[in-house]
Amino acid sequence: MNTKIQNIFSGKRQKPIIIAGPCSAETEQQVLSTARGIAEIGSVDIFRAGIWKPRTRPGSFEGIGIEALPWLTEVKKQTYLLTAVEAATTEHIEICLKHPESVDIIWIGARTTANPFSVQALADALQGVDIPVFIKNPLNPDMSLWIGAVERFQKAGIVNIGIIHRGFYPFVKSAFRNIPKWDLPLDMKCRFPNIPLICDPSHIAGKTEYLAEISQIAMNLNFDGLMIETHINPTQALSDAEQQVTPIELKELIEKIVIRQTSSENPDIRSLLEKYREQIDLIDFQLLELLAKRMNIAEAIGKYKTENKITVFQLRRWLNIITTRVEFGKKINLNEKFVKKLLQLVHREAIHLQNKNQNGENSL
Ligand code: PEP
Ligand code: MN
């Protein structure tokens, strides 16, 4: 058994599992210079590179395919890194299994996890094979799909399974490309405590500027590792250009992350304060997600009011909101003044959004 793989899936790691590499393998030079840059950092375990790319619409770059396999072989020769590619069809699986000199690990993409027929076909193709599989969460937050995918690969006899949290498709307007919904990966960790849980901040963020913050939250929440898209020349990337960092930026990012002791092995080490802070972090993000949802509905109401020539501000409705919320707030021990202030702030923003809809950008 490969000791590097054993180390990753042993459950005894003190430091995070780091997966890095380009969204897509594009050229031999791009793959090798990225891999060498990543290997120099020293703390990265796995080199990722998509060679078959799931693109939402046809016509964009769909990956290099098998031509990239020798490049990955070269990565393995020139660096200590393990290699991982996404497999979405049984043909992809067969090719990966035929080329152990190029591919060490397979990952299942978010679009595939959403389809139980595909997952079952892939699990069947891997029946009895000893290769590690990382499973990304499905695009939609239907946890049974993610759980089901883990179960299907477990039933096929895959021993080394990891799960990757890459966020969920935002049906509401969001700063992030995919909404983290942090409680869902943590539910998965509770259900599968021995399976490494990796966060993919790149696909959550969609932009490099949020990577550090998301990575730190994942570490605070005791994730076992990170998958960060890294490209030698991100602006020229053929896919996901906006979210990829250079190997040097990756090094800086990794160095800045504060790694705390993992609670699973040292339950007493983390202070109570830290545990409370993790809960607060989680709740803050949930609050923001809910606020975004509320604003979206307010905007939809705004459009309706404009179309039907109804005024934005409706006194009776507003008074009703204040009274019912303050009453409810009191019941759950919230300060009356605080609830009023908070609602005023939220209401003001909703009115602002609706006004923008009625009067264009120059309003209020
Ligand atoms: C990827 O990792 O490049 C990818 C396509 O991700 P996801 O399946 O999470 O969209
Ligand atoms: Mn990508």
Side-chain angles (χ1 to χ4, degrees):
M1 182 17 148
N2 184 322
T3 52
K4 285 185 214 160
I5 290 178
Q6 222 163 6
N7 176 276
I8 288 170
F9 292 92
S10 66
K12 296 198 183 100
R13 294 258 307 204
Q14 291 298 327
K15 58 189 188 76
I17 300 158
I18 311 244
I19 307 171
C23 179
S24 311
E26 298 165 1
T27 65
E28 181 168 16
Q29 194 271 338
Q30 169 249 6
V31 165
L32 290 178
S33 49
T34 308
R36 283 193 291 257
I38 287 172
E40 261 174 44
I41 302 172
S43 52
V44 179
D45 300 278
I46 302 167
F47 180 77
R48 60 146 287 155
I51 64 175
W52 300 287
K53 296 306 297 177
R55 305 315 296 268
T56 309
R57 297 184 58 193
S60 36
F61 176 65
E62 291 187 328
I64 282 291
I66 54 171
E67 214 185 293
L69 292 174
W71 310 343
L72 295 177
T73 311
E74 209 44 45
V75 169
K76 284 170 60 59
K77 276 191 198 148
Q78 293 188 18
T79 72
Y80 65 88
L81 296 162
L82 293 164
T83 56
V85 302
E86 174 175 351
T89 66
T90 52
E91 193 200 351
H92 296 164
I93 297 271
E94 277 157 24
I95 294 170
C96 292
L97 296 182
K98 252 197 233 151
H99 293 276
E101 76 289 358
S102 313
V103 180
D104 294 303
I105 297 167
I106 283 168
W107 89 78
I108 308 300
R111 290 154 192 81
T112 308
T113 310
N115 181 348
F117 287 124
S118 303
V119 173
Q120 190 56 55
L122 301 184
D124 290 344
L126 286 174
Q127 183 76 41
V129 177
D130 182 19
I131 189 166
V133 178
F134 281 106
I135 306 164
K136 287 197 161 194
N137 67 258
L139 291 179
N140 52 329
D142 178 347
M143 296 307 285
S144 309
L145 289 170
W146 204 5
I147 297 166
V150 171
E151 289 169 344
R152 287 177 205 275
F153 286 104
Q154 280 178 332
K155 278 197 178 157
I158 300 295
V159 185
N160 295 318
I161 293 179
I163 49 178
I164 301 177
H165 166 234
R166 48 81 76 205
F168 300 89
Y169 182 80
F171 289 100
V172 293
K173 209 163 56 188
S174 155
F176 292 156
R177 180 177 176 192
N178 290 291
I179 298 179
K181 290 191 174 293
W182 292 104
D183 48 325
L184 301 186
L186 297 183
D187 283 350
M188 282 296 275
K189 188 65 184 174
C190 293
R191 186 178 282 262
F192 300 110
N194 300 321
I195 291 187
L197 169 63
I198 310 285
C199 176
D200 169 351
S202 308
H203 287 88
I204 292 175
K207 285 195 186 82
T208 55
E209 64 195 88
Y210 304 128
L211 291 181
E213 179 191 340
I214 298 170
S215 303
Q216 188 60 59
I217 294 173
M219 289 298 102
N220 294 351
L221 295 173
N222 275 332
F223 274 58
D224 300 291
L226 298 167
M227 180 194 247
I228 301 178
E229 282 191 340
T230 310
H231 190 292
I232 196 67
N233 191 355
T235 54
Q236 299 303 310
L238 298 181
S239 59
D240 287 350
E242 282 185 21
Q243 69 191 33
Q244 304 200 61
V245 287
T246 63
I248 291 170
E249 288 164 342
L250 176 69
K251 182 170 187 276
E252 287 164 6
L253 201 149
I254 293 173
E255 280 167 1
K256 268 199 220 130
I257 295 173
V258 183
I259 310 289
R260 301 187 169 91
Q261 300 281 353
T262 57
S263 63
S264 56
E265 284 155 45
N266 301 297
D268 304 327
I269 284 182
R270 276 189 321 147
S271 68
L272 194 58
L273 181 65
E274 271 184 84
K275 283 189 193 157
Y276 283 145
R277 283 188 175 149
E278 283 169 12
Q279 286 177 11
I280 294 269
D281 286 349
L282 199 62
I283 291 170
D284 279 349
F285 277 88
Q286 285 171 340
L287 277 175
L288 290 175
E289 279 173 16
L290 279 175
L291 277 173
K293 206 167 172 182
R294 193 190 191 284
M295 291 307 164
N296 240 49
I297 297 173
E299 264 191 302
I301 294 179
K303 280 198 191 102
Y304 179 82
K305 285 178 178 166
T306 310
E307 278 157 22
N308 293 286
K309 301 196 169 35
I310 302 172
T311 58
V312 163
F313 183 67
Q314 309 246 320
L315 183 62
R316 276 220 338 250
R317 165 77 180 146
W318 170 233
L319 291 177
N320 175 270
I321 286 183
I322 285 283
T323 334
T324 52
R325 278 32 162 200
V326 166
E327 272 315 301
F328 181 74
K330 273 192 211 158
K331 281 191 195 134
I332 54 173
N333 283 335
L334 285 173
N335 178 290
E336 182 175 339
K337 272 196 193 145
F338 166 70
V339 174
K340 264 193 193 155
K341 262 197 205 156
L342 183 69
L343 278 170
Q344 270 162 355
L345 204 64
V346 171
H347 187 245
R348 211 176 297 152
E349 178 64 11
I351 294 267
H352 170 68
L353 287 174
Q354 297 191 352
N355 252 321
K356 235 164 68 176
N357 190 272
Q358 293 209 337
N359 305 334
E361 284 298 323
N362 299 330
S363 69
L364 287 183

